[in-house]
């Protein structure tokens, strides 16, 4: 078990058993490697920002229909390199809808209609324990053009973390077991250890929402 994996395990036990005593222990160890950078991509909605920007991407204000796709509760914790939770961090996510279309005017997949019930972008602020929660859909694979060549991207959610008005991390979050993972051109650019933090299982949720999935990511940012 490598040091980063031990750090996450200890941190998880600390949250479940003794609150946040564990990060004090972690601060005495060597700094952890920050979560791997992944490109922002062309579809961050700079010019197409939705009016509804909350953390529930499955419901859009003013739209009666819920988003198509499998509802997923994506949770996570933002840590610094020494195991301390980062409260007050801005978390942004954006992803395509169930058909593979982004909320962006330059999305080339114009042969299909975008799901008006899917928000496409959301944001949240981490709480005192560095935790965040989004209600979204399980990401899907889609065709992308990279260097003039059409390729299939592995299912992923784009994510960004900012503190004190400065973006500290831009990355992409993947689904364990997705068959496209092994050939994804961007995922192959990070090491196997780095991939561990970006690829997480999507499992049946334990909450009251029938049929929903759950996934959890720990994001480590440099300070």
């Amino acid at each position: 078990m490598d040091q980063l994996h031990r750090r996450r395990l200890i941190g998880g036990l600390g949250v479940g058993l003794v609150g946040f005593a564990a990060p004090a222990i972690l601060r005495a160890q060597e700094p952890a490697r920050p979560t791997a950078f992944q490109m922002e991509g062309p579809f961050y909605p700079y010019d197409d920002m939705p009016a509804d920007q909350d953390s529930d991407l499955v419901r859009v204000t003013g739209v009666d229909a819920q988003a198509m796709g499998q509802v997923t509760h994506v949770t996570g914790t933002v840590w610094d390199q020494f195991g301390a939770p980062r409260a007050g961090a801005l978390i942004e996510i954006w992803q395509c809808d169930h058909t593979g279309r982004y909320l962006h005017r330059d999305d080339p997949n114009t042969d299909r209609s975008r799901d008006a019930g899917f928000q496409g972008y959301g944001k949240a602020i981490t709480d005192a324990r560095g935790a965040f929660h989004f209600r979204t859909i399980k990401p899907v694979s889609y065709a992308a053009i990279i260097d003039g060549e059409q390729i299939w991207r592995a299912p992923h959610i784009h994510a960004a973390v900012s503190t004190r008005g400065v973006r500290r991390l831009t990355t992409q979050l993947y689904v364990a077991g997705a068959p496209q993972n092994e050939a994804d051109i961007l995922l192959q650019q990070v090491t196997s250890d780095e991939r561990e933090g970006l690829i997480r299982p999507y499992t049946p949720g334990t909450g009251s929402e029938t049929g929903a999935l759950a996934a959890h990511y720990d994001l480590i940012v440099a300070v």
Side-chain angles (χ1 to χ4, degrees):
M1 183 182 296
D2 61 32
Q3 182 177 342
L4 178 56
H5 196 83
R6 286 197 303 271
R7 184 185 305 278
R8 288 179 176 149
L9 177 60
I10 294 171
L13 291 173
V15 171
L17 300 177
V18 290
F20 271 74
I25 299 173
L26 298 181
R27 283 195 290 271
Q29 300 178 0
E30 290 296 320
R33 178 182 300 168
T35 298
F37 169 85
Q38 294 259 276
M39 66 181 292
E40 180 182 273
F43 301 128
Y44 180 88
Y46 287 106
D47 300 317
D48 302 278
M49 195 64 70
D52 192 348
Q53 302 177 21
D54 65 8
S55 60
D56 186 351
L57 283 68
V58 178
R59 286 286 186 185
V60 177
T61 300
V63 178
D64 291 335
Q66 176 172 293
M68 300 291 290
Q70 190 163 15
V71 174
T72 301
H73 292 267
V74 174
T75 61
T77 305
V78 178
W79 307 91
D80 69 20
Q81 292 170 279
F82 302 96
R86 295 308 303 264
L90 170 65
I91 314 299
E92 301 173 88
I93 66 169
W94 61 102
Q95 66 183 104
C96 65
D97 65 17
H98 76 290
T99 73
R101 285 205 64 178
Y102 278 89
L103 176 68
H104 199 286
R105 66 191 68 185
D106 294 330
D107 187 309
N109 296 309
T110 55
D111 59 327
R112 67 203 74 161
S113 298
R114 198 182 71 80
D115 182 1
F118 183 59
Q119 195 168 291
Y121 168 91
K123 59 186 180 182
I125 303 296
T126 58
D127 65 16
R129 296 190 168 190
F132 62 86
H133 176 199
F134 289 95
R135 182 172 179 255
T136 185
I137 62 172
K138 184 180 181 181
V140 301
S141 179
Y142 66 90
I145 304 296
I146 296 182
D147 295 332
E149 179 182 358
Q150 178 175 289
I151 64 168
W152 281 91
R153 288 295 323 277
H156 62 277
I157 298 173
H158 295 265
V161 181
S162 300
T163 62
R164 299 180 180 178
V166 176
R167 185 180 286 192
R168 309 292 181 178
L169 173 68
T170 304
T171 195
Q172 298 180 28
L173 310 175
Y174 298 85
V175 181
Q180 300 86 357
N181 285 349
E182 294 307 314
D184 188 87
I185 188 171
L186 296 182
L187 191 52
Q188 298 310 308
Q189 293 177 0
V190 301
T191 68
S192 58
D193 286 344
E194 290 173 327
R195 290 178 68 181
E196 179 187 341
L198 300 182
I199 304 175
R200 308 306 300 161
Y202 281 55
T203 58
T206 58
S208 60
E209 190 164 12
T210 303
L213 299 176
H216 182 90
Y217 297 88
D218 286 303
L219 303 178
I220 301 175
V221 298
V223 295

